Amino acid sequence: MVSPSTAADLDQPGKRRRFRESPIGAFFFCFLIGLAASGEAATAPRPWESLNEIEAGARKEGKVVIYTSGGHASPQAQRAIGEHFMEKYKVAVEWTGLGGGTDIVPRLLAEQRTQQYVADIAMTGFGTVNAALKPRGYLAPILAPSTFEKDVWRLHPASAVPQDRDWLFLFMPLTPSFFINTRMVATPDEPKSYRDLLHPRWQGKIVIQNPAAPGTGSGWFYATYRLLGLDYLRALAKQIVLVTGVNDSVDQVARGVYPLAISPSNSRARQLVLEGAPVKFIHSKEGSHVATQGVHLLANSPHPNAAKWLLHWIYTKEGQTIYATNHQVPSLRKDVPQDYLRPDMRYVEGQPLLMPAVEDLTAERTQELRLLAKQIFEEGK
């Protein structure tokens, strides 16, 4: 779906050519889905050895410290994990909730630079943490044996960075393509495809968090711009209304200010659905945007065995069941039933997944894409 004009936009002077005019978008997404299904890259590293020693070390250390941003572990999930670990392993799980990667990164950089290590694990998005910490050697590989299991994954935890494994998906972070107010959108008018949003009926009635700023909007842009094409995005920009806050689009749809939001805040959207607001998730036929909600293991972890033991456990069937059911999200594992979720919040087996390319999440490329999003959604109207 990449048009010549799309390729020209991305092949600006001084920038590395990102893709040719061949149908690389289709290849890219097929590759990712195949990788997710296979469960392992061809050159996958070896897992950690001696789980018995790791568990024994975890019990001696007695605690693990996690920095988490919104949407990665609800209070209910934190309690359930903490109670389980204390009861079964005598390991306390200490959670520090922070706003997001832009809040977590300065703290982690300060700890690493001053050698005053506090956090063992960071649960947050991929781009900001990876760009800031990985080049400095502040991330450690997550080689949990549970993540090397075969034939159990809906989405493999290491599918985004299979060779490095210094960032893993925690769950199936499906951001609904569209979030609608069911009192304002009749069933026959519900969009089934991104192309449906170009219909005149949606002019000025679609809200999205600004894709040129960090948040759900930019994550959606990174995951979809290759597939949808820049010509489409320019046309869509004339249909939409931009908001600033990550939760603004969700709240305005729930209040009836706008009938439809693109790529809403996952955690806030789930909360409103569970509270019984007149809202609904819709996944487009092109596929669901997989948000980069995952986990990092920090180098120089003060409780390395406890951190490794928790990371191994959270990808086992038991761990995914406790985590996903309490966080109210689809599990990465196929052997965890989804009967705890409403039908519109479940993953449909075989559903296409739209994910950003790892090369698009470097600090340099992220800045380039933000400028491109600014041109399309702010300056191009």
Side-chain angles (χ1 to χ4, degrees), residues 92-174:
V93 182
E94 297 184 4
W95 302 85
T96 298
L98 298 165
T102 53
D103 299 305
I104 290 175
V105 164
R107 294 184 63 158
L108 295 180
L109 288 176
E111 291 178 17
Q112 295 287 330
R113 288 168 176 164
T114 62
Q115 300 183 14
Q116 300 295 316
Y117 307 118
V118 177
D120 301 292
I121 292 170
M123 289 185 176
T124 186
F126 177 86
T128 304
V129 172
N130 192 69
L133 274 66
K134 183 173 181 176
R136 296 174 170 86
Y138 295 162
L139 299 179
I142 304 175
L143 305 177
S146 56
T147 68
F148 287 80
E149 290 186 63
K150 298 181 183 295
D151 303 322
V152 300
W153 307 107
R154 296 185 175 111
L155 173 68
H156 193 280
S159 60
V161 283
Q163 295 184 6
D164 295 335
R165 288 176 175 255
D166 48 18
W167 179 91
L168 301 184
F169 285 112
L170 280 165
F171 57 92
M172 283 286 290
L174 297 179

Side-chain angles (χ1 to χ4, degrees), residues 180-187 190 253-256 259 276-280:
I180 65 168
N181 185 306
T182 55
R183 293 174 181 169
M184 302 177 72
V185 181
T187 300
E190 292 178 0
V253 167
R255 294 200 307 267
V279 292
K280 179 181 178 181

Side-chain angles (χ1 to χ4, degrees), residues 11-28:
D11 193 23
Q12 299 175 29
K15 296 181 180 180
R16 191 191 322 171
R17 188 176 181 87
R18 292 295 171 178
F19 50 85
R20 311 298 180 192
E21 293 179 15
S22 60
I24 192 168
F27 168 81
F28 169 71

Side-chain angles (χ1 to χ4, degrees), residues 23-37 227 352-355:
I24 192 168
F27 168 81
F28 169 71
F29 290 109
C30 289
F31 169 77
L32 281 176
I33 301 310
L35 179 61
L227 178 68
L353 305 176
L354 309 182
M355 295 183 281

